[in-house]
Amino acid sequence: MVSEMNLVKLKRFILSPYTLFIVAILIPPLFVVDPFWVNRLSLYLVFSVLALSMSLCWGYAGILSLGHGVFFGLGAYCMAMSLKLLSPDSLTQGTPFPLPDFIVWNTPPGEALKLPWLWVPFQNQWFGLVAALLVPALFAALVGWFVFYGSVSGVFISIITLSMVVILNLVIIDQQPLTNGFNGLNNLAMFNVGGFEFDPYGLPTYYLIAIACALTLLGTRWLTQTKAGLIFKAIQADEQRVKYFGYDIAAYKIFALSVSAMIAGLAGVLFVINSQYASPTIMDVTLSIAIVIWVAVGGRDSLIGAAVGAIAINAIQNVLSESESLINVWRLLLGILFLLVVMFLPKGLASLGSLLQRSPSVTTDTATPVEAVDSQPLKLLSQVEPRK
Amino acid sequence: MLSSILSGLSIGSVLLLVALGLTVIYGSMGIINMAHGELVMLGAYVTVFSERFLRLPFLLCLPLAFGVTAGLGLLIERVVVRRLYGRLLDTLLATWGIGIILQQVIRLSFGPELQNVSVPGFLTGEYRIGEVSLQAYRLAIFLVALALFAIALLILYRTDFGTQLRAVTQNPQISACNGINVNQIRSYTFALGSGLAGVAGVMVSGFNAVSPTMGTNYVVDSFIVVVVGGVSSLVGTVASSALLGSVNSVVAWMSNDVLAKVVLLGLAIAVIRFFPKGLFTIQSR
């Protein structure tokens, strides 16, 4: 016999936004048969993974990164390098080793063709995949070590990350012989597991991305429920106090940024599997800011809100991009919406949902953000105990 | 060598020109105005507009652009920035949102294509000093940058508004106790900084193509200058523009423009990390 308690629990589990979200992303392919749309839908899920990464970093750990495109781009480039070497074009250059076509074009006649050392290990697809996760994470750890152990305050971290994305974008474009510059890497092989090829327009690829997205959601949710997640939030509320409790704040921030970067790298991998190219446009300022906008509008400290924000904004954008003037009007509206959300609804549209559910007293709290910000952290900080 | 120095000075004066408005706002209000680049862009479009419809002489565009962008700055401060004092990150995001809105409004009204502005005859020639030729327009930018710097100094140190502004910068509460209308001073400061950005836009439009997205580069450049120069003084901004201009021209001369830009950004990151108050700040206390 099922006890009442268990029934309530079961009901809450089924109706929880997390379950609903995961079910919702698994259903569409049952109705959508057009391969083009299957591909588009999975692209939105890729962006929602990116939004989860930003939500973890900004909403939970309070690090507003304006350069998240770097981590996404590094992941995408690592994966793309492997898939480039595995593509039929690269394998049939007449050399004993695979060679990307642009390297052949760039080699002056008479010189021996050779694979640059940076490319050599990427001949293995799994090396590319692991590098796509580790390179962004290590790079983030390095950046984090550099800024968080210095006296760099919140706003300047945003400026530094912004400069970082500009620098890397310029370097990638400039290092043409190694990266194919502005054109990026295209004409890639399909992602291949044990002989099965993931066709970007096929259902298996959709499910691969959807499952990765669901696992990322559950993983980030788990992380935010751990003690580390609590410390992240506490640091945001009162950094000094947490510091005096004996916690190494910089270490926690570096950890948060690295995990977030690794998820962004994963999004990069999924992007390459979905779109079959990597170019400097996916690691530029525009994309980095776009991520912040999705997450701000959706709800920076709501994982589901951020993910749904990314999907919704990209879907609308895509539908409207049929016409030049419509898309421009939409971008204008999005700018206005972003401004309004930042000013009046700092927790994004996701907080509207909880406003409707809770008692009216909460509503008045959020109407005056200062109070809401003040009372919550106190409750939260009381859960954090001094470190032994 | 001489040409390298001149090119450094020329780059430096453009940097000073676009960063001056940001220094005024950031230095005295502590606000990161991410719409700064778009205000420069708007100033450039004032020139385009006046050339197409008003047929004003080029030099008259300078005060016109100042008026338009200062008015807009006043509006931005009153409607948005004022509500976000004390929420630095949100101010950054909100001003970025304003930047996006401005960009889209311009794109919808002028189109996404590049615009070219014709420059009056007396600014197009070249002067020769010994071996080196000097473009008249570069010289004009240098002079306008210096003039704006002088005007900004004059406003800050020789007017009542400037005195009140410096008081508000040091301590808003005590200033308010002494009868200074802090909100009003902040509005005017924001308007002044925005107006300076507009003037910079007019000058920039004479040598660079004008497009709705041109602002992004300028906002990054301006921030580098302000960060390296330190926030406390306008003199620091001048020193940092000169330094960054020469570093840029030397690195570009040794390798290429892209690497020069990378070095500048790297320099800015290092300064933020190791000298959070900037390189040209006089130690106090």
Side-chain angles (χ1 to χ4, degrees), chain A residues 58 64 146 150 155-156 158 160 166-167 170 174 289 292-293 300 328 331-332 336 338-339 342-343 346, chain B residues 26 32 79 83 87-90 92-94 96-97 100-101 104 107-108 256 258 261 265 269 272-273:
Chain A
W58 178 29
L64 174 55
F146 185 73
V155 188
F156 282 106
S158 308
I160 286 184
V166 179
I167 290 180
L170 287 172
D174 187 53
I289 298 300
V292 173
I293 295 178
R300 65 181 84 158
N328 278 326
R331 291 219 177 95
L332 177 64
I336 295 172
F338 174 56
L339 179 63
V342 168
M343 287 177 70
Chain B
Y26 181 63
I32 307 254
V79 178
R83 293 168 201 271
R87 288 159 62 187
L88 269 185
L89 279 180
D90 285 336
L92 184 157
L93 291 176
W96 198 296
I100 295 173
I101 294 170
Q104 284 312 118
R107 187 172 283 141
L108 284 167
N256 60 32
V258 174
K261 183 105 197 196
L265 287 163
I269 291 181
I272 293 179
R273 170 66 171 75

Side-chain angles (χ1 to χ4, degrees), chain A residues 338-374:
Chain A
F338 174 56
L339 179 63
L340 291 177
V341 165
V342 168
M343 287 177 70
F344 301 111
L345 209 64
K347 289 173 180 242
L349 295 180
S351 60
L352 283 182
S354 48
L355 279 188
L356 294 177
Q357 282 171 13
R358 281 186 210 146
S359 59
S361 68
V362 180
T363 329
T364 51
D365 255 357
T366 355
T368 50
V370 183
E371 270 178 53
V373 168
D374 275 345

Side-chain angles (χ1 to χ4, degrees), chain A residues 226-239 241-247 252 377-388:
Chain A
T226 59
K227 186 163 173 214
L230 182 69
I231 307 279
F232 291 161
K233 277 261 157 188
I235 290 175
Q236 260 201 83
D238 190 341
E239 189 163 328
R241 182 164 167 165
V242 181
K243 196 166 164 187
Y244 293 152
F245 274 2
Y247 293 94
Y252 276 96
L378 278 182
K379 223 183 333 175
L380 181 123
L381 279 171
S382 61
Q383 298 170 41
V384 179
E385 285 171 357
R387 227 172 114 97
K388 273 135 209 148

Side-chain angles (χ1 to χ4, degrees), chain A residues 26 50 77 114 122 132-133 150 168 177 187 193 202 208 215 227 233 249 261-262 269 273 289 294 300-301 360 373-374:
Chain A
L26 293 177
L50 203 47
Y77 262 91
K114 69 177 197 329
F122 284 92
L133 300 178
L168 249 86
N187 238 336
V193 179
L208 176 76
L215 290 179
K227 186 163 173 214
K233 277 261 157 188
I249 295 194
M262 190 186 273
V269 170
I273 293 174
I289 298 300
W294 309 333
R300 65 181 84 158
D301 58 0
V373 168
D374 275 345

